[in-house]
């Protein structure tokens, strides 16, 4: 009993430390200076470069982790990690996105963030396993990129498909209405919740979609594959997947350590500042729907953890995956990314509101995953599988 | 006597080393390549980002220093540091700025730089105190941000108020003249010493002032508070104060050390290059007034030092502030910043001529503060207070 | 015999490692994502800044190396290094550039790259000398900037003169033809192989040339000196020579180590990514001429090495330059730069096709220099001079 109190206070301390972390400090700092009317701005070219640097780093670190792991031995758990990562996005698509007043792109970005993995939650889980002397496969920690990257890619692709479909539908509706009357027409949901282009690049890519194959007034059905291809070719996923490939196929350790990893935390602090400023300007959009995000962020970590735990159990019976490994897979699924997620989603789904996804993850999701998820799944693994 | 010769030669060596420092090397390099007609240019986006990085770093380091110091114990000396920093700017406003041919914004930027603090002069002062085994409070070194940041903020705000007032007056004069004749009118001082906007951002902010509340042709009186608010909301002071707040309220030590502080010297070298190129193109403006800057830079360090010394004496009798501490406070006041000052003033008072303020500080002010100020104020503290 | 097999396998290992190096990985990565249609782009401002950073670093490191070497003792070999570097460019101008279908600017950039020096080839040569316990002057390694920088400067200046002359000739031809007929005229080689401006800056500098002194329709003879001056004032050579001067005359070691050198490999990896993307888009231009580049890259390293070897022999008989030193000078001449060259040439001869010069150097030149050049020149020095 005393051990459990110690345990909780330990987590509360860790949670407190997280709130004082520079990353969160810069996010809140950005919101405060935006609220105070500051004219501080990070030039667009710098912003794009920072996102590029962060995405290459996320990809490289995933690629290096996979290259250094024994892929044959970890095949089934890795496959299950991929499945969980993609599934989490679709769960968000058909639960959070269906709640009243929730913008679909915001829901998809949030689900992507909850599918992505938090390195610090993972580290906390490993610390607890080691403190309790529970065995886990040494490669279990390297499962994270198998969930992280598929979740982010799926979220961006599904958001892109959704946006294209909606635009096609609206155009059809619009052209119908235009036939009925020549009066100005409010475009319904589109007008009140514009999925506006926030970067020049996105604007151009929207133009391109419109121009090549999805003409505004004739579209009836949206072809999926060109949009998937378009998403993968976009600057966000290009950088992420390029980093992944370079990490897998070359030996970029020196340039990774001395440059990309070295600058990562600092560049992230600047991105957080920018996202804080943007989050402030768009926080009003969440006034009527904040409770739904809170509900999702409370339930999702545990739901995702249980799914991964179930898949881990299958791997346990099929290939002898250890109880500690099963628990870690569940913790990875329960965590939501405050590091790899924001830059990727900001660049990949630029119309999504960062207040929604960062708020849900930072304020509720991560504390739940650490304070409830870690002890829950470790205890469950011990009870159900024994050690 | 031999000690004093040693002492002087020691300072001359230090001064020589400063002249060979990369910071000054890049400044002179920038002037030389500008003189040779080089087309080298640093893109505007990069320039703005470098200034942002430098200002966040200056703010962070000040905030961290204040957080780590015992604010209760140092309350009176810290208050006196703030007073001295602000006073130095007003002294410059009513002495240097009144000399014939001196542009007021140049004078204010110079006074701001002389109010700001040089870390290396402070370090030299501490070295001498320790060599002579004179006691000083361990927190005395942490007094510097209390003078540095108020001086820079005051200089920028006063320059902004001055510029707005002058524009309002000129507009009034202009509209009078327009009533008398329709001929083209030379705008007097305005035309010969244009306070032109040097960055797009400043241009926009001038537009904004003109458009909202200070219409060019009707302004009779300039309201102070909106201009102070405008200055504080500007990108320069926003970044500086954001860094200060983050340093005070969060624990940014890791990202500070591994990113902002790591890159500081290098980014400063690039800024110095840019300022050297600009200084060269504007050095001609100083032809007729250089002697006034030299006079100011010769007298100001000692005058500022004496003011701080007097306030330090009050703190000595009121709270037992040590002789060594009083001497250090005077050295801090005597020093002029070659590090925190240039980026802040370049961004905060973009119309000021860097040749004026950097030249005055580097060529005359810093040598005087080190070679005359340090021995003078330490000797004075020993004679007047004893140890 | 066994020693030689070991020797070869050692080099093959080193060559294999080079192929897996992050630098080459990013180059190939850039080509692959360009081939897959990625929309990834590095903003122009960032690209220019990266080039600036790389060139300052190349210049600084050369300047520091020269400052730390005994210039009197190494005078003759250093002079021969300069001569060799410049000669290599002119050899390329009158051999490679004369082959059918080869664009002159591509040939000049390639020759510049083969005149510039590879630090890793040099290091490999030193390693072999030390393994075989052959004496060489400790300053022999510091000969590299004396060949590297003159070769790059010469290539850029000669390319600039060539471009201006060609434009003048074409204008003359054009105005003749315009007199004969009013029909649209294809500008021959110019139209099919446009030396188009790829950066805004270059565009402006072309405009400037046209506007000031070389009016399109009257030019008969191109004045050389203004073009040389123009090249030296351009952003590429300005940055390179500024870095060289700062390295020579100030003490930038700290800012060099902690900033410019620290970030060099990482920034180079990004430049390689950009060059890979560009190389892919222009690789088609080489379809009919690739064999000439392969031939040049096969012969040039050995030819250049022999020239330097001959000059080194003169220094041997004149001043006692050691056999090891002569061999190193030849290895320096045989090497082609994969580090200092690409950024300099990309910025200095922007119309040249990176596929040509990087391909020739990386795919053929460097392997030949390492696998054939090093053992050849070391063996030759032992046989001809003895030790």
């Amino acid at each position: 009993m005393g051990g459990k109190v110690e345990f909780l206070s330990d987590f509360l301390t860790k949670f407190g430390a997280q709130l004082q972390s520079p990353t969160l400090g810069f996010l809140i700092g950005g919101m405060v200076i935006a609220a105070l009317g500051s004219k501080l701005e990070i030039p667009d070219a710098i912003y794009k470069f920072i996102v590029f640097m962060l995405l290459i780093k996320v990809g490289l670190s995933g690629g290096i982790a996979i290259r250094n792991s024994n892929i044959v031995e970890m095949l089934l758990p890795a496959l299950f990690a991929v499945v969980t990562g993609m599934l989490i996005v679709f769960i968000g698509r058909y639960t959070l996105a269906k709640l009243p007043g929730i913008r679909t792109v915001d829901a998809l970005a949030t689900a992507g963030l909850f599918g992505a993995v938090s390195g610090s939650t993972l580290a906390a889980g490993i610390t607890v396993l080691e403190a309790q002397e529970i065995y886990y496969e040494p490669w279990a920690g390297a499962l994270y990129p198998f969930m992280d990257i598929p979740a982010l890619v799926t979220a961006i692709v599904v958001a892109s498909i959704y946006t294209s479909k909606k635009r096609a539908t609206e155009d059809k509706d619009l052209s119908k209405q235009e036939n009925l009357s020549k009066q100005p027409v409010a475009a319904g949901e589109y007008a009140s919740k514009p999925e506006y282009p926030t970067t020049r690049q996105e604007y151009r890519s929207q133009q391109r979609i419109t121009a090549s194959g999805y003409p505004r007034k004739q579209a009836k059905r949206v072809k999926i594959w060109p949009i998937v291809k378009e998403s993968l070719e976009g600057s966000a996923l290009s950088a992420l997947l390029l980093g992944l490939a370079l990490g897998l196929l070359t030996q970029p350790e020196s340039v990774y350590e001395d440059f990309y990893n070295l600058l990562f935390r600092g560049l992230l602090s600047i991105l957080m500042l920018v996202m804080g400023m943007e989050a402030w300007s768009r926080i009003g959009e969440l006034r009527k729907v904040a409770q739904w995000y809170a509900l999702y962020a409370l339930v999702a970590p545990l739901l995702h953890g249980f799914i991964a735990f179930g898949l881990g159990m299958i791997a346990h019976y099929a290939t002898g995956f250890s109880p500690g490994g099963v628990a870690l897979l569940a913790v990875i699924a329960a965590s939501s990314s405050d590091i790899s997620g924001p830059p990727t989603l900001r660049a990949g789904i630029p119309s999504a509101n960062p207040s929604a996804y960062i708020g849900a993850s930072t304020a509720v999701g991560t504390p739940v995953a650490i304070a409830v998820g870690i002890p829950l799944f470790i205890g469950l693994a011990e009870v159900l599988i024994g050690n």
Side-chain angles (χ1 to χ4, degrees), chain A:
Chain A
M1 198 60 198
K4 282 189 185 172
V5 170
E6 226 170 73
F7 198 69
L8 241 172
S9 85
D10 183 44
F11 278 123
L12 286 179
T13 312
K14 271 175 193 158
F15 177 55
Q18 201 204 349
L19 283 181
Q20 260 194 304
S21 78
T23 309
L24 207 60
F26 277 84
L27 184 77
I28 295 170
M31 298 180 71
V32 170
I33 64 170
L36 295 176
S38 164
K39 269 138 219 141
L40 183 69
E41 52 182 349
I42 303 296
D44 190 49
I46 300 295
Y47 171 75
K48 280 185 183 164
F49 179 63
I50 289 176
V51 169
F52 164 81
M53 289 285 292
L54 298 176
L55 294 179
I56 285 273
K57 187 267 172 186
V58 170
L60 282 173
S61 90
I64 292 172
I66 293 175
R67 173 161 50 82
N68 290 335
S69 61
N70 186 339
I71 191 72
V72 175
E73 201 182 353
M74 66 197 285
L75 197 63
L76 200 60
L79 183 71
F80 286 156
V82 173
V83 168
T84 307
M86 299 177 73
L87 198 58
I88 288 173
V89 174
F90 286 101
I91 291 173
R93 175 75 184 86
Y94 293 104
T95 60
L96 179 57
K98 298 296 183 190
L99 290 171
I102 301 279
R103 289 170 74 231
T104 304
V105 286
D106 292 350
L108 283 167
T110 308
L113 206 67
F114 276 74
V117 176
S118 154
S120 53
T121 306
L122 173 58
I126 289 175
T127 308
V128 175
L129 283 179
E130 286 182 348
Q132 305 193 1
E133 294 184 355
I134 300 173
Y135 171 80
Y136 63 93
E137 286 79 3
W139 45 258
L143 288 172
Y144 88 88
F146 292 96
M147 194 180 300
D148 198 59
I149 290 172
L152 292 170
V153 171
T154 307
I156 292 171
V157 170
V158 171
S160 190
I161 292 172
Y162 165 77
T163 308
S164 298
K165 278 194 178 169
K166 205 181 60 154
R167 198 176 295 127
T169 317
E170 282 167 6
D171 290 339
K172 224 171 68 182
D173 294 355
L174 219 66
S175 56
K176 267 194 207 161
Q177 291 174 330
E178 275 173 4
N179 289 341
L180 292 176
S181 83
K182 290 287 177 195
Q183 289 176 343
V185 175
E189 194 198 17
Y190 186 77
S192 60
K193 302 178 191 174
E195 326 253 320
Y196 57 80
T198 30
T199 65
R200 265 176 296 164
Q201 197 166 340
E202 199 214 359
Y203 180 74
R204 260 184 283 135
S205 91
Q206 286 188 357
Q207 294 288 86
R208 208 178 301 118
I209 294 178
T210 309
S212 64
Y214 319 111
R216 288 226 147 212
K217 302 219 169 165
Q218 295 159 26
K220 296 213 164 162
R221 193 201 287 244
V222 169
K223 279 175 198 140
I224 302 297
W225 178 237
I227 302 171
V228 174
K229 194 161 169 292
E230 180 93 18
S231 304
L232 295 175
E233 286 171 355
S235 58
L237 292 186
S238 280
L240 190 69
L241 299 175
L242 172 66
L244 188 70
L246 288 171
L248 266 173
L249 303 176
T250 70
Q251 304 203 322
E253 271 81 353
S254 65
V255 82
Y256 172 78
E257 279 308 326
D258 298 345
F259 186 70
Y260 293 100
N261 196 33
L262 177 77
L263 300 179
F264 184 73
R265 295 252 150 202
L267 294 175
L268 187 68
S269 73
I270 299 173
L271 184 79
M272 283 293 158
L273 185 65
V274 175
M275 297 189 82
M277 290 164 73
E278 193 189 343
W280 177 257
S281 70
R282 299 189 63 183
I283 209 165
E285 294 176 19
L286 298 184
R287 218 176 328 125
K288 294 179 187 159
V289 295
Q291 76 280 10
W292 299 129
Y293 282 103
L295 180 67
Y296 174 81
L298 206 65
V299 174
L302 304 181
L303 175 64
H304 301 160
F306 276 118
I307 292 171
F309 193 91
L311 293 170
M313 290 287 280
I314 297 177
H316 171 70
Y317 290 116
T319 65
F321 192 36
S322 73
V326 174
L328 265 194
L329 185 63
V331 168
I332 287 172
S335 80
S336 55
S337 167
D338 297 329
I339 301 289
S340 64
T344 314
L345 294 165
R346 184 66 193 71
I349 317 183
S351 58
N353 183 346
S355 311
Y357 56 89
I358 296 186
S361 165
T362 305
V364 185
T366 296
V368 167
I370 291 179
V372 183
I374 292 178
L376 176 66
F377 294 115
I378 290 177
L380 215 60
E382 287 190 290
V383 170
L384 290 185
I385 326 185
N387 56 341

